[in-house]
Short mmCIF file of all heavy atoms in Angstrom, two decimals:
data_model
loop_
_atom_site.label_atom_id
_atom_site.label_comp_id
_atom_site.label_asym_id
_atom_site.label_seq_id
_atom_site.Cartn_x
_atom_site.Cartn_y
_atom_site.Cartn_z
N LEU P 124 0.11 -8.90 0.30
CA LEU P 124 1.41 -8.61 0.91
C LEU P 124 1.55 -7.12 1.23
O LEU P 124 2.11 -6.74 2.26
CB LEU P 124 2.54 -9.05 -0.04
CG LEU P 124 2.74 -10.55 -0.22
CD1 LEU P 124 3.76 -10.83 -1.30
CD2 LEU P 124 3.19 -11.18 1.11
N ILE P 125 1.04 -6.28 0.35
CA ILE P 125 1.11 -4.83 0.57
C ILE P 125 0.26 -4.45 1.79
O ILE P 125 0.66 -3.60 2.61
CB ILE P 125 0.63 -4.07 -0.68
CG1 ILE P 125 1.60 -4.32 -1.84
CG2 ILE P 125 0.51 -2.57 -0.40
CD1 ILE P 125 1.13 -3.79 -3.17
N ASP P 126 -0.90 -5.08 1.94
CA ASP P 126 -1.76 -4.78 3.09
C ASP P 126 -1.12 -5.21 4.41
O ASP P 126 -1.28 -4.55 5.44
CB ASP P 126 -3.11 -5.50 2.92
CG ASP P 126 -4.09 -4.67 2.11
OD1 ASP P 126 -3.92 -3.44 2.07
OD2 ASP P 126 -5.00 -5.25 1.51
N ASN P 127 -0.39 -6.30 4.38
CA ASN P 127 0.18 -6.85 5.61
C ASN P 127 1.60 -6.35 5.89
O ASN P 127 2.16 -6.70 6.93
CB ASN P 127 0.19 -8.38 5.54
CG ASN P 127 -1.21 -8.96 5.49
OD1 ASN P 127 -2.14 -8.40 6.09
ND2 ASN P 127 -1.38 -10.06 4.77
N TYR P 128 2.14 -5.55 4.99
CA TYR P 128 3.49 -5.03 5.20
C TYR P 128 3.47 -4.02 6.37
O TYR P 128 2.53 -3.24 6.51
CB TYR P 128 4.00 -4.35 3.93
CG TYR P 128 5.45 -3.91 4.02
CD1 TYR P 128 6.48 -4.80 3.76
CD2 TYR P 128 5.78 -2.60 4.38
CE1 TYR P 128 7.81 -4.42 3.84
CE2 TYR P 128 7.10 -2.20 4.47
CZ TYR P 128 8.12 -3.11 4.20
OH TYR P 128 9.43 -2.71 4.30
N PRO P 129 4.50 -4.03 7.24
CA PRO P 129 4.52 -3.11 8.40
C PRO P 129 4.87 -1.67 8.02
O PRO P 129 5.96 -1.18 8.29
CB PRO P 129 5.59 -3.73 9.31
CG PRO P 129 6.53 -4.42 8.37
CD PRO P 129 5.66 -4.97 7.26
N TRP P 130 3.93 -0.98 7.36
CA TRP P 130 4.14 0.42 7.02
C TRP P 130 4.16 1.28 8.28
O TRP P 130 3.66 0.88 9.33
CB TRP P 130 3.03 0.91 6.09
CG TRP P 130 2.89 0.09 4.83
CD1 TRP P 130 1.93 -0.82 4.56
CD2 TRP P 130 3.75 0.11 3.69
NE1 TRP P 130 2.11 -1.38 3.33
CE2 TRP P 130 3.23 -0.83 2.77
CE3 TRP P 130 4.90 0.81 3.35
CZ2 TRP P 130 3.82 -1.07 1.54
CZ3 TRP P 130 5.50 0.57 2.13
CH2 TRP P 130 4.96 -0.35 1.24
N GLU P 131 4.69 2.48 8.16
CA GLU P 131 4.80 3.37 9.32
C GLU P 131 3.43 3.82 9.82
O GLU P 131 3.25 4.07 11.02
CB GLU P 131 5.66 4.59 8.98
CG GLU P 131 7.13 4.24 8.70
CD GLU P 131 7.95 5.47 8.39
OE1 GLU P 131 7.38 6.59 8.46
OE2 GLU P 131 9.15 5.33 8.08
N ASN P 132 2.48 3.98 8.91
CA ASN P 132 1.14 4.42 9.32
C ASN P 132 0.12 3.90 8.31
O ASN P 132 0.47 3.35 7.26
CB ASN P 132 1.07 5.95 9.43
CG ASN P 132 1.59 6.64 8.17
OD1 ASN P 132 1.05 6.47 7.09
ND2 ASN P 132 2.66 7.42 8.33
N SER P 133 -1.15 4.09 8.65
CA SER P 133 -2.23 3.57 7.80
C SER P 133 -2.32 4.31 6.47
O SER P 133 -2.77 3.74 5.47
CB SER P 133 -3.56 3.68 8.55
OG SER P 133 -3.83 5.04 8.88
N PHE P 134 -1.91 5.60 6.46
CA PHE P 134 -1.95 6.35 5.21
C PHE P 134 -1.07 5.70 4.14
O PHE P 134 -1.49 5.53 2.99
CB PHE P 134 -1.49 7.80 5.44
CG PHE P 134 -1.24 8.56 4.16
CD1 PHE P 134 -2.30 9.05 3.41
CD2 PHE P 134 0.06 8.76 3.70
CE1 PHE P 134 -2.07 9.73 2.22
CE2 PHE P 134 0.29 9.44 2.51
CZ PHE P 134 -0.78 9.93 1.78
N LEU P 135 0.16 5.33 4.52
CA LEU P 135 1.05 4.68 3.57
C LEU P 135 0.49 3.35 3.09
O LEU P 135 0.64 2.99 1.92
CB LEU P 135 2.44 4.48 4.20
CG LEU P 135 3.27 5.73 4.47
CD1 LEU P 135 4.58 5.36 5.16
CD2 LEU P 135 3.54 6.49 3.18
N ARG P 136 -0.17 2.61 4.01
CA ARG P 136 -0.74 1.32 3.63
C ARG P 136 -1.83 1.51 2.57
O ARG P 136 -1.84 0.84 1.53
CB ARG P 136 -1.31 0.62 4.85
CG ARG P 136 -2.05 -0.69 4.50
CD ARG P 136 -2.54 -1.44 5.72
NE ARG P 136 -1.41 -2.01 6.45
CZ ARG P 136 -0.91 -1.52 7.59
NH1 ARG P 136 -1.46 -0.43 8.13
NH2 ARG P 136 0.11 -2.08 8.20
N HIS P 137 -2.74 2.44 2.81
CA HIS P 137 -3.84 2.67 1.87
C HIS P 137 -3.33 3.28 0.56
O HIS P 137 -3.80 2.90 -0.53
CB HIS P 137 -4.89 3.58 2.50
CG HIS P 137 -5.59 2.96 3.67
ND1 HIS P 137 -6.12 1.70 3.64
CD2 HIS P 137 -5.83 3.45 4.92
CE1 HIS P 137 -6.67 1.41 4.80
NE2 HIS P 137 -6.50 2.47 5.61
N ARG P 138 -2.39 4.21 0.66
CA ARG P 138 -1.87 4.83 -0.56
C ARG P 138 -1.16 3.83 -1.45
O ARG P 138 -1.40 3.76 -2.66
CB ARG P 138 -0.89 5.96 -0.19
CG ARG P 138 -0.38 6.76 -1.39
CD ARG P 138 0.91 7.48 -1.09
NE ARG P 138 2.01 6.53 -0.86
CZ ARG P 138 3.27 6.91 -0.63
NH1 ARG P 138 3.59 8.18 -0.57
NH2 ARG P 138 4.21 6.00 -0.42
N ASN P 139 -0.28 3.02 -0.85
CA ASN P 139 0.50 2.07 -1.64
C ASN P 139 -0.38 0.95 -2.19
O ASN P 139 -0.15 0.45 -3.29
CB ASN P 139 1.62 1.48 -0.79
CG ASN P 139 2.65 2.54 -0.42
OD1 ASN P 139 2.76 3.58 -1.07
ND2 ASN P 139 3.41 2.29 0.63
N HIS P 140 -1.40 0.58 -1.43
CA HIS P 140 -2.36 -0.41 -1.94
C HIS P 140 -3.08 0.15 -3.17
O HIS P 140 -3.27 -0.55 -4.18
CB HIS P 140 -3.36 -0.79 -0.85
CG HIS P 140 -4.34 -1.84 -1.28
ND1 HIS P 140 -5.47 -1.56 -2.02
CD2 HIS P 140 -4.33 -3.19 -1.10
CE1 HIS P 140 -6.12 -2.67 -2.27
NE2 HIS P 140 -5.46 -3.68 -1.72
N ALA P 141 -3.47 1.43 -3.11
CA ALA P 141 -4.15 2.07 -4.24
C ALA P 141 -3.24 2.17 -5.46
O ALA P 141 -3.68 1.97 -6.60
CB ALA P 141 -4.65 3.46 -3.83
N ILE P 142 -1.96 2.47 -5.22
CA ILE P 142 -1.00 2.59 -6.32
C ILE P 142 -0.85 1.25 -7.05
O ILE P 142 -0.97 1.18 -8.28
CB ILE P 142 0.36 3.08 -5.80
CG1 ILE P 142 0.28 4.56 -5.40
CG2 ILE P 142 1.45 2.88 -6.86
CD1 ILE P 142 1.55 5.09 -4.75
N PHE P 143 -0.60 0.20 -6.30
CA PHE P 143 -0.38 -1.11 -6.92
C PHE P 143 -1.67 -1.66 -7.53
O PHE P 143 -1.64 -2.32 -8.57
CB PHE P 143 0.20 -2.10 -5.90
CG PHE P 143 1.67 -1.98 -5.73
CD1 PHE P 143 2.21 -1.09 -4.81
CD2 PHE P 143 2.54 -2.74 -6.50
CE1 PHE P 143 3.58 -0.97 -4.65
CE2 PHE P 143 3.92 -2.62 -6.35
CZ PHE P 143 4.45 -1.73 -5.43
N ALA P 144 -2.80 -1.39 -6.90
CA ALA P 144 -4.07 -1.84 -7.46
C ALA P 144 -4.35 -1.14 -8.80
O ALA P 144 -4.85 -1.77 -9.74
CB ALA P 144 -5.20 -1.57 -6.47
N THR P 145 -3.99 0.14 -8.89
CA THR P 145 -4.18 0.87 -10.15
C THR P 145 -3.25 0.32 -11.23
O THR P 145 -3.65 0.18 -12.39
CB THR P 145 -3.92 2.37 -9.93
OG1 THR P 145 -4.75 2.86 -8.89
CG2 THR P 145 -4.21 3.16 -11.20
N PHE P 146 -2.01 0.03 -10.87
CA PHE P 146 -1.08 -0.59 -11.81
C PHE P 146 -1.66 -1.90 -12.36
O PHE P 146 -1.66 -2.15 -13.56
CB PHE P 146 0.26 -0.88 -11.13
CG PHE P 146 1.21 0.27 -11.11
CD1 PHE P 146 1.95 0.55 -9.97
CD2 PHE P 146 1.39 1.08 -12.22
CE1 PHE P 146 2.84 1.61 -9.94
CE2 PHE P 146 2.28 2.14 -12.20
CZ PHE P 146 3.01 2.41 -11.06
N LEU P 147 -2.15 -2.73 -11.44
CA LEU P 147 -2.60 -4.07 -11.82
C LEU P 147 -3.93 -4.05 -12.59
O LEU P 147 -4.08 -4.75 -13.60
CB LEU P 147 -2.75 -4.93 -10.57
CG LEU P 147 -1.45 -5.27 -9.82
CD1 LEU P 147 -1.76 -5.90 -8.47
CD2 LEU P 147 -0.58 -6.20 -10.66
N MET P 148 -4.88 -3.26 -12.13
CA MET P 148 -6.23 -3.30 -12.70
C MET P 148 -6.41 -2.40 -13.92
O MET P 148 -7.20 -2.71 -14.81
CB MET P 148 -7.26 -2.92 -11.62
CG MET P 148 -7.14 -3.73 -10.34
SD MET P 148 -7.21 -5.53 -10.64
CE MET P 148 -6.93 -6.15 -8.99
#
């Protein structure tokens, strides 16, 4: 869902994916 969310740019997509992945893993 984070990957497919309409973020403003690719930086926010990759950053937020990294944040949530770190939380989870």
Side-chain angles (χ1 to χ4, degrees):
L124 289 173
I125 294 171
D126 274 336
N127 296 326
Y128 186 84
W130 304 104
E131 294 181 3
N132 51 62
S133 60
F134 168 77
L135 291 178
R136 175 176 289 104
H137 294 312
R138 185 201 66 177
N139 294 339
H140 182 278
I142 288 175
F143 277 88
T145 305
F146 275 138
L147 293 169
M148 307 306 176

